[in-house]
Amino acid sequence: IQESGATTSFGSPAIWRRVLPFCHDQGYKLPGLRRLLMAGAPVPPDLIQRAHAVLSMDADVFTPYGATEALPVASIAGREVAPGLLDAMKNGAGTCVGEAAPGIEIRLIQITDEPIPTWSDDLYVGLGEMGEVCVRGAVTTEVYAEEEGHTKKAKIHDADGSVWHRMGDIGRFDSEERLWFLGRKSHRLQTETGIRMPVPVENIFNLHPRVYRTALVGIGPKGSETPLLVVEAVPGEYPKGETMTQGFIMQLRDIGRRI
């Protein structure tokens, strides 16, 4: 960025988790950067805040959402997320990926692993309810070459000849038609009390200053899975000694009781 004079930079959150702390530790600012894009995985609010600390006030972070089969689908600016939507994320709303990109239609349908040959309005879920993300637009692919089985699982044909792509993600719309990402459909937990998605829970725990990342997984048969949280501490921040370790675990359990 410094040598080339780049004004736009794109990378996954994993890259920026290395670059931004380095900038902070070395006292580097990136005033020439106008747009910093992060995509490829959910972007935590703290990473956006770290980016804002090295950017000028008129620059911003953008987190485009999409897939190889449909990109872009939606996008949101970082200064809209932090602090505007940060409280919602802290309270388990998931990760906001913004409004539909120009020319893209987004619909949420009932969650199923079965193929859906033809589109029907009966598939829709209500506002605020979670469902599988389906998209349609000029950038959406219609077939997987020589992969008929995958095509059947991921594509839905509409009566007008167009094709909807099933993203394999679960989301929900808020009252302002912004899409919130809740996690991959294949990662959903099927518990005795219903479906639980990982990202809203992980976002909450990831705000702990000692936590680097977490993964909510299910133990046991589908339909009666028990949620289990796997926690990775920030490198060098895992408490030393049994007393401090137990204190760290108790802090995490206290967070869990409030969810």
Side-chain angles (χ1 to χ4, degrees), residues 83-212:
L85 301 175
L86 187 57
D87 286 342
M89 293 183 180
K90 288 180 179 179
N91 290 315
T95 297
C96 187
V97 294
E99 298 178 354
I104 291 292
E105 294 179 76
I106 306 175
R107 298 288 184 270
L108 301 183
I109 66 170
Q110 299 163 27
I111 300 171
T112 176
D113 294 316
E114 298 301 317
I116 304 174
T118 56
W119 185 264
S120 167
D121 290 348
D122 293 337
L123 298 170
Y124 291 160
V125 299
L127 181 66
E129 295 182 31
M130 64 179 177
E132 182 177 2
V133 181
C134 292
V135 300
R136 177 172 66 172
V139 300
T140 305
T141 64
E142 298 184 356
V143 66
Y144 292 101
E146 301 181 18
E147 292 285 351
E148 183 179 354
H150 285 93
T151 299
K152 287 181 178 180
K153 289 181 179 179
K155 308 296 180 179
I156 308 175
H157 294 269
D158 207 324
D160 62 4
S162 63
V163 175
W164 293 85
H165 173 65
R166 300 170 68 179
M167 294 286 288
D169 293 333
I170 303 301
R172 69 171 183 85
F173 282 116
D174 63 19
S175 59
E176 297 183 37
E177 297 187 357
R178 292 175 298 208
L179 179 63
W180 290 75
F181 174 75
L182 307 180
R184 294 289 293 165
K185 181 173 68 173
S186 59
H187 295 168
R188 72 189 187 276
L189 280 66
Q190 300 179 56
T191 73
E192 292 181 351
T193 57
I195 293 175
R196 168 154 259 181
M197 296 305 301
V199 169
V201 176
E202 293 165 0
N203 280 353
I204 295 173
F205 283 95
N206 290 347
L207 292 170
H208 190 289
R210 288 183 182 270
V211 172
Y212 178 62

Side-chain angles (χ1 to χ4, degrees), residues 30-54:
L30 305 173
L33 206 58
R34 315 300 300 168
R35 290 166 296 276
L36 191 159
L37 293 93
M38 302 184 193
V43 181
D46 70 295
L47 198 58
I48 295 174
Q49 292 172 321
R50 279 180 175 267
H52 285 157
V54 303

